[in-house]
Amino acid sequence: MEKIVSLCKRRGFIYQSSEIYGGINGFWDYGPLGAELKRNVKELWWNTMTRQRDDVVGLEATIIMSPQIWKASGHVDTFADLMVECPVTNKRYRADQIEPQDGIVYYFKGAINMLPGEFGFIEGEKEEVEKYLKQKRELSELKKLGENLSASANPKEQKIGALILERVSLKTEINEPFSVLLPAGKPPEAAFVIAADFYEKRGMDCLWPIKSHTEKVVGDTRHNPENGAELTKPRPFNLMFKTYVGPVESEDNVAYLRPETAQAIFAQFKNVQETSRQKVPFGIAQVGKAFRNEVTPRNYTFRSREFEQMELEFFIKPDEVVEAIKGRVTPGAELDTRHSTLDTSSWGWEAWHKYWVEERIAFYEGIGLPRNTLVEYWQKPEELAHYARATVDILYKFPFSKRDEKGELTGEELEGIAARSDFDLSQHERFSGKPMGVFDEELRAAWGKLDEPRKTELSKRYYEARLKYLMKTGVEPAKAEKGAKEDADGLAKGQYIPHVIEPSAGVDRLILALICNAYHEDTMPDEKGKMETRVVLKFHPRVAPIKVAVLPLLKNKPELVKKAREVRDLLRPHMNVFYDDAGAIGRRYRRQDEAGTPFCVTIDFDTLGEKPELKDTVTMRYRDDGKQERLAIGELLTWLSPKIR
Ligand code: GAP
């Protein structure tokens, strides 16, 4: 990672935000190459998810929205991480990110103040006492030290000895328990030093921590791995950034920077559906900034406080509706979702969920992340959000990912694909009082043709699902039953609240994955044929920030420069071209290798017709293996275009 971070800075992919002022933790800027890379990734996602499909449309909503949205979504009440704090350094950590540790816990019951009462220090004595205090740690040892010093012939030592004995005989003056975990083999003094720091923060200096006992522990997560100090109890910390709308900073004007782009899609669902004239199943896609006041931003850009998301909310019919119309729901297991002529009319949530997982994995493969660097992780039932029926996380094996017992990288989340039921639309319906359901003529017609037992069965299932939702969200039982009944009765009228499948990806995490995946070091001959190590970013040409570099062999030959500029201008309207005439050609190739440019076009004397049969041809040089071939200028565009799309 260190090499990658340094390359990103050196080549202008990623910089620390506000670097000249010492930076700001959890915020990152994208430099010239990073900005291009990011733009390419977002555009590829947008094209794949919206423009290439009939059933998805786009949205671009504001970052600040009505705070009611975040009440309805649950973010105001529950979007929190459990946080612990080190009482010595005041650093905060996410409770679930404390690495388990083994070792010995030193428990302290409090501390004695060693400052003199009736004695009073004279110049330099305090330091002298502290010097002794630093040497010995157990209370019994301290007592012994006091006795030895009292018996000394030196009057200064006698005084210190008496002071120590006086203090030892007193009760503890701070009775707050505290503990310190030390790895086996570390000298116990270290625990006393940390404990002294802890008690000193409670307003005392020159004090003596009183140890009560020790305990051997395995897999402990209650102590700070950096210094062993006992962490505070976990407490929730809401991750939303707060601000105020308008000139008055009062609770009435509180607003939040959106922590996800998804909620705007739900809030605008009816508008989009009506204006785009889409019918369920269909999706709404959005790319944009999201903000989370992460307790511990870490792993470079992986967990940032400001980041971008690419989210799709794909609205589908509830299974009961599909069954009413089609007679059955196609089980997910029966599906080959990569088949091009899919009949999706009998797909329920399981099939759609499987479909989107496979679509998204295919997307990642299509932009150059090999399948074996990705993990499809199915969340366990106990990990699922209460409204989710299933969630699959797509993980990428980052260099900083944890390793399993076989030493394999386990991967970190790039994207989550959740089957979120009708939770979000239902919440906005309840909180806004505006209907979020749809009318489906096909359902109304099909319902009329069902026999009574089938109607009863489907209504009952729909009723039970709605009742479960309403009860879980705190609606009182009588009201919940009434509401669920009305919802179930709506089926006969062709009405229902759509369910949703949500593929939600992070742009910045994907950029980091692409850079990690592209980073290679290899050896290649320099201009004199001597092997040298090179750093090369092997981006897929689709995402590469620069698609092609155009290089005149020599800068001081006007005919070469003129021709090279013509080639640049020929390609520039169609792709990002970089023109470079500075330095030896080998050095220029290396610079492009580090930028991840897949193709270099060199204009040389043959291009000008030195060998007549090569007139108007160029050298095409490949980044990955350094091989070269000649191509006619006239065919460059048709040759390059399919490779970068
Ligand atoms: N609407 C669902 C949602 O927001 P999430 O799992 O919290 O789900 C989705 O976020 C994606 O957003 C993640 O898979 C990740 O790629 C990205 N993401 C979340 N928090 C992030 C952070 N602090 N820094 C960078 N990316 C983040």
Side-chain angles (χ1 to χ4, degrees), residues 26 75 79 94 239 259-263 266 290-294 296-298 300-313 364 379 387 391 393-394 412-418 420 424 502-510:
H75 284 81
F79 191 55
R94 253 175 65 169
L239 300 184
E260 60 171 23
T261 62
Q263 290 307 319
F266 297 122
F291 303 81
R292 296 182 190 178
N293 198 2
E294 297 284 356
T296 42
R298 59 182 193 144
Y300 201 22
T301 57
F302 181 83
R303 189 174 301 288
S304 310
R305 289 180 165 140
E306 175 175 341
F307 55 98
E308 268 184 284
Q309 289 186 316
M310 306 182 285
E311 298 202 292
L312 169 69
E313 303 303 327
Y364 290 120
Q379 286 190 9
Y387 48 77
T391 299
D393 291 335
I394 299 177
E412 300 282 341
E413 182 185 326
L414 273 187
E415 168 162 355
I417 300 149
R420 293 175 70 106
D424 303 274
E502 177 195 65
S504 168
V507 182
D508 308 78
R509 288 191 185 176
L510 178 50

